[in-house]
């Protein structure tokens, strides 16, 4: 989840920054002399900003993940503990089974949460990282299933596909935000219209980006099913199902602990909408694998 949210947040920040810089320097002006919108110029501007933001986010994804999660990259030829070496060998074995020509970097980061992620701008420059919490909570079969799932993400080229989708979403966000900002600026005095337009662009771009992220999150949920199937193929169907069942048991236990704490504090706990989830429901993922 954090990897996807980091990608979306980075994309938003990059896109807003690019838009502000281009606007300050008057690059890609789409308002004609009569004060109207030049749709063709705005569309070209939107395509450039939208896809530039997405691809810069992709290029930075591995670096940002390492810094934000404080990932310790494991050197295969270095002095590793037995557990660390097992993780490296597992990632490399599953990557070879997936047909990857370049082995992903392997990392571990300190966190009590049970989590793993794969990221990177390409199959050649990818990273698979696991949390210490996952290694403590899961047995070796579950860890192998989860790593198989993450390697499948890399083999499927999910980050590049997501970037292309994000570029399309960005294009609509940039186009619609400037169209809406232009419409708003028509209702104010002419001397303050440029300032209102500038501020409105930023506000609308953030709002439309949040709405656009729902499309990206929907695709993220869709591709998780494919990564589950890939993990089942690489690590074995039983191990992949076992991994998801262990995750389900862990999630249920954490939920019960949280509900107890919420009840004690007299706080109402609200379940998050599936629309804002990066992953589908675990029970549905298990059901689909069992039925396959």
């Amino acid at each position: 989840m954090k990897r996807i949210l980091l990608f979306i947040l980075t994309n938003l920040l990059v896109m807003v920054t690019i838009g502000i810089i281009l606007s300050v320097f008057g690059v890609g002006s789409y308002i004609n002399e009569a004060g109207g919108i030049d749709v063709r110029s705005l569309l070209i501007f939107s395509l450039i900003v939208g896809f530039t933001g997405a691809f810069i986010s992709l290029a930075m994804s591995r670096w940002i993940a390492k810094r934000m999660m404080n990932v310790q990259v494991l050197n295969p030829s270095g002095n590793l503990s037995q557990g660390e070496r097992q993780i490296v060998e597992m990632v490399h074995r599953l990557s070879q089974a997936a047909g990857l020509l370049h082995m992903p970097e392997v990392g571990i980061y300190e966190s009590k949460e049970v989590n793993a992620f794969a990221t990177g701008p390409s199959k050649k420059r990818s990273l698979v990282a696991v949390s210490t919490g996952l290694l403590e909570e899961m047995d070796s079969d579950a860890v192998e299933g989860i790593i198989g799932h993450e390697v499948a993400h890399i083999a499927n080229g999910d980050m590049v596909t997501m970037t292309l989708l994000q570029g399309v979403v960005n294009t609509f966000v940039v186009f619609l935000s400037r169209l809406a900002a232009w419409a708003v600026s028509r209702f104010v005095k002419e001397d303050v219209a440029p300032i209102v337009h500038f501020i409105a662009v930023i506000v609308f771009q953030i709002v439309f980006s949040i709405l656009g992220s729902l499309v990206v999150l929907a695709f993220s949920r869709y591709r998780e099913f494919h990564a589950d199937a890939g993990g089942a193929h690489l690590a074995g169907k039983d191990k992949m199902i076992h991994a998801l069942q262990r995750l389900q048991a862990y999630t249920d236990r954490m939920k019960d602990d949280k509900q107890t704490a919420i009840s004690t504090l007299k706080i109402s706990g609200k379940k998050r909408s599936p629309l804002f989830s990066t992953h589908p429901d675990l029970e549905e993922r298990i059901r689909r694998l069992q039925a396959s």
Side-chain angles (χ1 to χ4, degrees), residues 7 51 54-55 58 159-169:
F7 174 78
F51 278 91
F55 279 106
L58 177 65
M159 284 303 290
V160 174
T161 306
M162 176 169 284
T163 299
L164 294 174
L165 174 62
Q166 186 71 68
V168 173
V169 170

Side-chain angles (χ1 to χ4, degrees), residues 23 30 177-178 181 196-206:
S23 298
Y30 46 85
S177 62
R178 280 154 178 77
V196 171
H197 180 271
F198 180 80
I199 295 173
V201 163
I202 297 175
V203 173
F204 280 122
Q205 191 160 302
I206 292 173

Side-chain angles (χ1 to χ4, degrees), residues 40 52 61 78-79 114 125 164 188 196 231 234 247 254 265 273:
R40 183 173 177 274
T52 299
S61 60
N79 185 23
V114 174
R125 299 176 59 230
L164 294 174
V188 299
V196 171
L234 296 174
L247 285 172
M254 292 299 101
L265 295 170
S273 169

Side-chain angles (χ1 to χ4, degrees), residues 45 51 55 92 106 116 125 132-133 142 164 191 211 229 246 248 255 290:
F45 176 84
F51 278 91
F55 279 106
H92 286 186
V106 183
R125 299 176 59 230
T132 53
L164 294 174
D191 55 340
L211 294 176
R246 287 296 300 269
Q248 180 71 69
K255 192 183 299 182
Q290 290 174 332

